[in-house]
Amino acid sequence: RTDITSDLGGETIRCVAGAALLLGDSVFVSATPSTVNKSITAGDRLKRIGIVVDPNPVNAARSATDVTNGVAAAALNGFVHVCYSGIAYGIVGSAITAGAQVMFSAATAGRLIPATPTTDAGKIVGVAMEDNSTAGAAIKILVSPS
């Protein structure tokens, strides 16, 4: 297939939003059952689950635009879909290069930054599938928080 690089999708789970969440937010599992939230707290990185996605994406270009434009996924206590395995758009926190492992930003909740595999083990959300250096922009991530 020639369009394989633009494919999005994977395994998702429906959760409750512990706060207002945007499409592309990287989230962790909170203490409340089935609830996810975003955070800059270092300890929450260990509870990462995945990235908030649109359960019915129209196409990759539209999904990237929605993430970059900060489209709301849910308000507090609303339902969100979280990709925990597969390809989804996350939100750039600082410059990321293709192939870099990524984790939660310590500066802006929901965003992703490069991780150092040796010191950030257990905090990795996934691997960047492309380069992007624009904070707040969409970046394609192979989500695999293992």
Side-chain angles (χ1 to χ4, degrees):
R1 291 182 43 183
T2 59
D3 64 341
I4 193 111
T5 58
S6 63
D7 284 352
L8 297 176
E11 300 296 320
T12 64
I13 184 171
R14 189 174 124 171
C15 300
V16 175
L21 296 174
L22 305 174
L23 292 176
D25 273 339
S26 299
V27 293
F28 70 96
V29 177
S30 73
T32 306
S34 301
T35 301
V36 296
N37 208 339
K38 56 187 175 181
S39 173
I40 60 169
T41 304
D44 291 337
R45 291 176 179 162
L46 297 171
K47 300 180 278 185
R48 77 264 178 261
I49 187 173
I51 297 175
V52 176
V53 297
D54 182 342
N56 303 302
V58 176
N59 58 50
R62 166 85 177 270
S63 294
T65 299
D66 287 349
V67 169
T68 299
N69 288 338
V71 172
L76 172 66
N77 294 325
F79 289 111
V80 292
H81 286 79
V82 177
C83 176
Y84 63 88
S85 178
I87 296 178
Y89 278 108
I91 306 170
V92 175
S94 65
I96 297 173
T97 58
Q101 292 183 343
V102 294
M103 66 181 189
F104 293 176
S105 167
T108 305
R111 294 190 179 183
L112 295 166
I113 60 171
T116 304
T118 53
T119 57
D120 295 323
K123 302 173 189 173
I124 309 299
V125 174
V127 176
M129 300 294 290
E130 56 194 5
D131 298 337
N132 200 317
S133 60
T134 305
I139 187 167
K140 200 175 288 182
I141 303 294
L142 175 59
V143 181
S144 179
S146 55

